[in-house]
Amino acid sequence: MIEGAAWRKWLFFYLPLAVFVIWLLFPFYWMAITTLRPDGELYRPWNAKNYEPFWTANPTLDHIMLLLEETLFPTWLWNTMLIALVSTLISLVCGVFAGYALARLKFPFAGSLGTGIFITYLVPQTLLFIPLADVIRNFRLGDTPWALILTYPTFLIPFCTWLMMGYFKAIPKELEECARIDGASRWKAMIYIILPVAVPGILSAGIFAFTLSWNEFIYALVFLSSSEQKTVPVGVVSELIRGDVFYWGPLMAGALMGSIPVALVYSFFVEHYVSGLTGSVKG
Amino acid sequence: MAGVSIRQVNKLYDGAVHAVKDVSLEIHDKEFVVLVGPSGCGKTTTLRMVAGLESITSGEVLIGDTVVNELPPMDRDIAMVFQNYALYPHMSVFDNMAFGLKMRKFARAEIQARVKQAADILGIHELLHRKPRQLSGGQRQRVALGRAIVRHPQVFLFDEPLSNLDAKLRVQMRVELKKLHERLGTTAIYVTHDQVEAMTLGDRVVVMKDGLVQQVGEPLELYNAPANRFVAGFLGSPAMNFVEVRLAERGGALWAEGDGLRIQPLPEQAGRLARLNGGRATLGVRPEDLRIANGSDPEGLCFEADIEVIEKLGAQILLDTRAGSHTIVASVEPTVRARVHDRLRLAINPDRLHFFDAANEAAI
Ligand SMILES: Nc1ncnc2c1ncn2[C@@H]1O[C@H](COP(=O)(O)OP(=O)(O)OP(=O)(O)O)[C@@H](O)[C@H]1O
Ligand SMILES: [Mg+2]
C-alpha cells in the first residue's frame, strides 16, 4: 500500500484508480444512456443549442419496447443462452479430463500433444469457418443451434484444456498420491480430491468459455440464416442495421440487455474466479 | 502387521537416472527402520517404490509374504505421511482422517470410533471440525499422522515428515513419534536426511549414498563401527576428523604418519593394517574421543596442535585445532581452560581409532 500523507494516497492511488474506472465503464454508460434517450435527442446535431450527449432530461423506454416487440430479441436471448451453456458444458467436461490427463498421466507424446492442442487454439476463426461450413453442410446442421453448439468447442476445448492443465499442475501431486494410498482408485481420487480442489479453476474456465461463446460472432453469422435462429450479437446487428440506417437506440438496448446475463454470471462467481486466475491452492 | 523385504531393487528414471542401485533390505515386523543419506541419494525413491507410487525397474518388494511389485498403492495396506502433509484442503480434519476408511467402506460407527481414538492419541480432539488451512504446522503434522494411524495399516511410510517444522517442535514430535511407535508397534520405514533423527528414532538405520546402501545396523553399531569413511563422516556431530596417513614400520611396530602427527595403532588393529604397510590410509577419530593429554598417555596416541577457534557450547567445548596441515576438532570438558593460539597436547582414546582404506574407503 501507499505510505505517508493522505494526499499521497489520493494522488497515487485513488486518482489513477478513478481514471481507470471511468475509462473502463464509459462504454457501458454510453450504451445505457443511448438506450434511454429519445430519438429526438439522439439525432440532434452537435452544434445545436441544447446539445447534451452525456445526459437526458426525458428518459424513455421506447427503444427497449421496440426491441422486445418488433424484433425477435427474446428468442435470440434464449438461443444465445442455450448455445453458450451447452457448448460451455461440453467444453468444460472435455477440457477438465484432457487437462488432467496431460498434467498427470505419463504417456508417450504427452508434451507435444499439449503443445498441439494449444496451436489449434491459435488458428484464427476467420480461417477455420471455411472448412467448418463444409462440415456443417454435410451434416445438414445449418441454421440449427447444433451448428454452433458443435463448432464452438473447436476453440473452447483447447482453451479449457490448456487452462485446466495449468491448474492441475499447480495442485501438489502428493494430494492425489495420498488419496490413492488411502484406498481410492485414480478415478475416485480425481472425483473426491482433485476436482473439488480444482473448483476455482473449473469456474474460471467455465466463465471464460461462456463469455467467449456468448460474444461469438463469425460462426453465428455464417452458420445461421433465419431470424428466429439467431444469437444476440448477430440478431441485433443484422436486424437493426438496415442498409446504412443505424437504429442506435434499439441497437444499444440490445447490447445492454445482451451483456446483463454475462455481468450477472461474473458477479456471481467473482470470488472463485479471482482465486482461480491467481491459481492459489493451499495445502 | 508385517515385515517388508526389498530384494535387489533398482530404479531407473526414464532409462537414464539410476536413482536406486541393487538395494536389499529385510525389515522385520514391528521394526522402525530409518533411511538416511544426503540429498539425492535415493531415499524417497526407495520409499515410493514400497508405496507403489513409483514403478520398480528390477527386483522385488514384498510386504508380508506377498510380492507387491504389481499391486496398486490402495491394495498394499500401507499408510504414508508426506513432507508437505498433503492434507485434503477442502475437507475438515475429521473428513481427512476418515477418508481412507470411507474409501474402504467401513461402517459409520467404526469410522467415528477410530477417528476419535486417533484424535485422542494425538491430542487433536478440538481440531476435528477445522479445515487444514486453519491449523499450525505442528497441528497439520499431527493430522497427517492421524490420517495414517486410523487405517491400522501393515506398514507406515514416512518421507521427511518433520522437516517443515521448527527446531523445537521437531524435537518434540520426534519424541511423540517414538512413543507412538512403541504404542502401536506398526512396522515403519522413515526417510530423513537428519542424522540425529535417524539415530534417535531408528531401531535400525540404513545409510545410503548415490543410490547404494552403505551400511545397515543399529544406531550405535553404525556410530562405533562405521563400515566406511562415508558412514563415519555422515553420522556424528561435529563430524569425525580425517587425516591422510602413510603406514610405515618403525622399530618393529606399525605407525601411521601424517602431516603433523604420528600415531601408533593398537596391536590388534595394526595386525589388520599390516597388509597396507608402506601404503596410504585414512585415519579417523571422533572429536569426543580426543582429550587433553596427561603424562601417562602413551606416546603413540598423542600429538601436538595449535588452537585456532574455541566454541563454547555449554555442555562441552569444541577446540578447532591445527596439527600440521590438518584441522582437527576436539570436544573437551567445559572445565578446560584454553586460549586461542595455545599449543596443546591431545590424546586419542586408545580403542577409538578408525582406519579406512585409501582406495575403496572401507573400514579396516
Ligand atoms: N521423477 C524423476 N525423474 C527423474 N529423476 C528423478 C525423479 N525423481 C528423482 N529423481 C532423481 O533420482 C535421484 C534420487 O532422488 P530421491 O528423490 O530419491 O532423493 P532423496 O534421497 O529423497 O533426496 P532428498 O533428501 O533431497 O529428498 C536424484 O538424483 C533425483 O534427481
Ligand atoms: Mg526425498
Side-chain angles (χ1 to χ4, degrees):
Chain A
M1 271 321 284
I2 289 160
E3 319 254 318
W7 66 267
R8 286 175 57 91
K9 201 166 174 177
W10 280 98
L11 186 63
F12 295 118
F13 183 69
Y14 290 119
L15 189 71
L17 184 70
V19 170
F20 275 118
V21 169
I22 291 171
W23 181 262
L24 288 176
L25 286 185
F26 181 75
F28 293 95
Y29 175 73
W30 188 252
M31 209 156 73
I33 201 70
T34 311
T35 304
L36 295 178
R37 295 171 77 197
D39 273 337
E41 283 185 27
L42 279 180
Y43 296 111
R44 191 173 288 162
W46 64 272
N47 50 4
K49 213 192 268 157
N50 49 1
Y51 178 68
E52 45 179 21
F54 301 123
W55 190 241
T56 175
N58 322 298
T60 165
L61 292 179
D62 282 356
H63 302 314
I64 295 176
M65 300 312 289
L66 184 138
L67 188 72
L68 293 180
E69 284 163 9
E70 302 196 11
T71 69
L72 292 171
F73 188 78
T75 320
W76 301 337
L77 208 55
W78 165 248
N79 290 344
T80 318
M81 187 84 79
L82 182 81
I83 290 165
L85 275 180
V86 178
S87 55
T88 298
L89 205 71
I90 294 174
S91 312
L92 261 190
V93 171
C94 296
V96 164
F97 286 115
Y100 177 85
L102 287 173
R104 279 288 198 271
L105 305 183
K106 288 182 199 140
F107 57 93
F109 308 116
S112 36
L113 196 62
T115 318
I117 288 178
F118 188 56
I119 289 174
T120 32
Y121 180 62
L122 296 180
V123 177
Q125 289 175 43
T126 36
L127 287 181
L128 209 56
F129 84 83
I130 301 170
L132 279 178
D134 212 32
V135 175
I136 295 296
R137 202 193 49 225
N138 288 342
F139 284 92
R140 297 181 200 292
L141 294 175
D143 208 22
T144 68
W146 292 106
L148 299 187
I149 289 175
L150 295 179
T151 49
Y152 285 177
T154 57
F155 58 89
L156 293 182
I157 290 179
F159 173 81
C160 291
T161 304
W162 199 252
L163 208 140
M164 289 317 300
M165 183 172 89
Y167 203 84
F168 284 133
K169 276 188 178 160
I171 297 177
K173 72 177 189 327
E174 284 89 353
L175 276 188
E176 196 179 351
E177 290 173 347
C178 196
R180 290 177 56 206
I181 290 176
D182 263 350
S185 57
R186 195 180 263 285
W187 179 252
K188 277 190 177 167
M190 183 174 168
I191 300 293
Y192 289 113
I193 306 294
I194 300 300
L195 289 189
V197 172
V199 162
I202 296 174
L203 279 183
S204 346
I207 289 174
F208 264 122
F210 183 80
T211 320
L212 282 177
S213 28
W214 187 274
N215 293 337
E216 206 285 331
F217 188 77
I218 294 173
Y219 289 0
L221 182 70
V222 175
F223 299 148
L224 305 177
S225 44
S226 58
S227 187
E228 62 273 19
Q229 294 293 349
K230 283 180 178 164
T231 59
V232 171
V234 174
V236 167
V237 169
S238 61
E239 311 271 321
L240 294 174
I241 304 176
R242 304 203 179 128
D244 57 354
V245 182
F246 286 69
Y247 291 79
W248 280 119
L251 259 176
M252 286 299 164
L256 185 70
M257 289 167 64
S259 40
I260 285 173
V262 180
L264 284 180
V265 171
Y266 266 87
S267 58
F268 190 66
F269 290 120
V270 72
E271 252 169 54
H272 284 299
Y273 176 70
V274 170
S275 77
L277 280 184
T278 50
S280 63
V281 179
K282 300 211 177 70
Chain B
M1 271 167 257
V4 176
S5 310
I6 300 173
R7 297 186 182 158
Q8 303 202 315
V9 162
N10 281 278
K11 175 70 188 181
L12 278 144
Y13 281 110
D14 311 322
V17 186
H18 202 165
V20 172
K21 298 167 188 160
D22 259 337
V23 167
S24 292
L25 282 175
E26 282 298 326
I27 296 159
H28 310 130
D29 189 18
K30 299 193 196 321
E31 199 177 19
F32 199 116
V33 167
V34 179
L35 305 185
V36 67
S39 189
C41 71
K43 312 176 293 278
T44 299
T45 306
T46 308
L47 196 73
R48 288 170 60 85
M49 286 192 288
V50 175
L53 298 172
E54 213 69 71
S55 65
I56 298 166
T57 310
S58 74
E60 275 186 345
V61 173
L62 285 83
I63 297 177
D65 301 322
T66 331
V67 178
V68 296
N69 283 34
E70 302 300 328
L71 279 186
M74 56 182 286
D75 296 330
R76 295 192 182 197
D77 202 9
I78 48 167
M80 184 155 168
V81 178
F82 292 85
Q83 177 173 1
N84 63 2
Y85 319 132
L87 299 180
Y88 310 132
H90 58 297
M91 293 185 186
S92 68
V93 168
F94 180 93
D95 288 333
N96 260 283
M97 289 167 68
F99 183 75
L101 301 173
K102 282 183 188 157
M103 283 294 117
R104 283 160 210 273
K105 307 234 173 346
F106 276 76
R108 180 168 253 189
E110 173 75 6
I111 295 179
Q112 292 275 357
R114 286 209 191 180
V115 172
K116 183 178 175 310
Q117 188 200 16
D120 284 343
I121 293 176
L122 295 165
I124 50 174
H125 231 119
E126 336 61 275
L127 308 178
L128 286 177
H129 312 292
R130 296 213 200 151
K131 290 279 172 64
R133 66 169 174 280
Q134 300 164 314
L135 302 177
S136 71
Q139 290 169 332
R140 284 180 202 189
Q141 185 56 65
R142 270 170 228 267
V143 175
L145 280 176
R147 192 168 59 177
I149 65 180
V150 288
R151 294 232 332 268
H152 302 176
Q154 305 254 33
V155 183
F156 285 137
L157 305 175
F158 299 97
D159 190 1
E160 310 210 17
L162 305 186
S163 58
N164 283 358
L165 303 178
D166 66 53
K168 202 169 164 195
L169 203 53
R170 193 150 64 214
V171 174
Q172 189 187 333
M173 287 301 292
R174 201 165 75 203
V175 176
E176 284 196 28
L177 265 176
K178 186 94 187 159
K179 281 191 202 152
L180 194 66
H181 180 249
E182 247 133 59
R183 176 166 180 172
L184 302 175
T186 311
T187 315
I189 309 179
Y190 186 104
V191 163
T192 179
H193 60 255
D194 179 345
Q195 43 122 349
V196 181
E197 240 168 64
M199 301 288 277
T200 49
L201 280 172
D203 294 328
R204 282 194 301 156
V205 174
V206 180
V207 181
M208 293 182 72
K209 181 193 169 203
D210 297 336
L212 289 165
V213 172
Q214 303 291 310
Q215 190 175 4
V216 185
E218 288 172 18
L220 287 183
E221 191 181 327
L222 299 194
Y223 192 77
N224 292 327
N228 58 37
R229 183 179 164 163
F230 174 79
V231 175
F234 189 77
L235 300 178
S237 170
M240 186 184 274
N241 299 296
F242 293 108
V243 177
E244 302 304 324
V245 294
R246 178 173 292 281
L247 297 166
E249 203 167 318
R250 305 247 187 262
L254 192 71
W255 286 78
E257 300 174 339
D259 184 11
L261 79 180
R262 282 179 82 226
I263 302 294
Q264 185 184 23
L266 297 183
E268 186 226 353
Q269 204 162 27
R272 274 177 278 143
L273 286 166
R275 67 182 170 85
L276 290 173
N277 189 2
R280 310 193 59 84
T282 306
L283 181 156
V285 58
R286 293 199 183 278
E288 62 269 31
D289 294 328
L290 287 168
R291 60 196 153 74
I292 311 280
N294 56 35
S296 60
D297 284 311
E299 173 66 17
L301 290 171
C302 295
F303 61 94
E304 306 262 328
D306 296 314
I307 299 180
E308 291 193 317
V309 177
I310 300 176
E311 300 174 61
K312 293 183 178 139
L313 301 184
Q316 87 256 46
I317 296 180
L318 297 185
L319 304 175
D320 288 26
T321 67
R322 175 161 290 272
S325 61
H326 303 287
T327 300
I328 292 179
V329 180
S331 167
V332 298
E333 301 280 301
T335 49
V336 168
R337 296 270 163 266
R339 277 175 312 170
V340 174
H341 302 313
D342 278 0
R343 192 164 181 81
L344 282 180
R345 201 169 157 74
L346 291 171
I348 303 170
N349 291 337
D351 54 346
R352 307 291 293 174
L353 269 177
H354 301 271
F355 283 94
F356 305 99
D357 195 309
N360 64 12
E361 304 202 330
I364 300 167

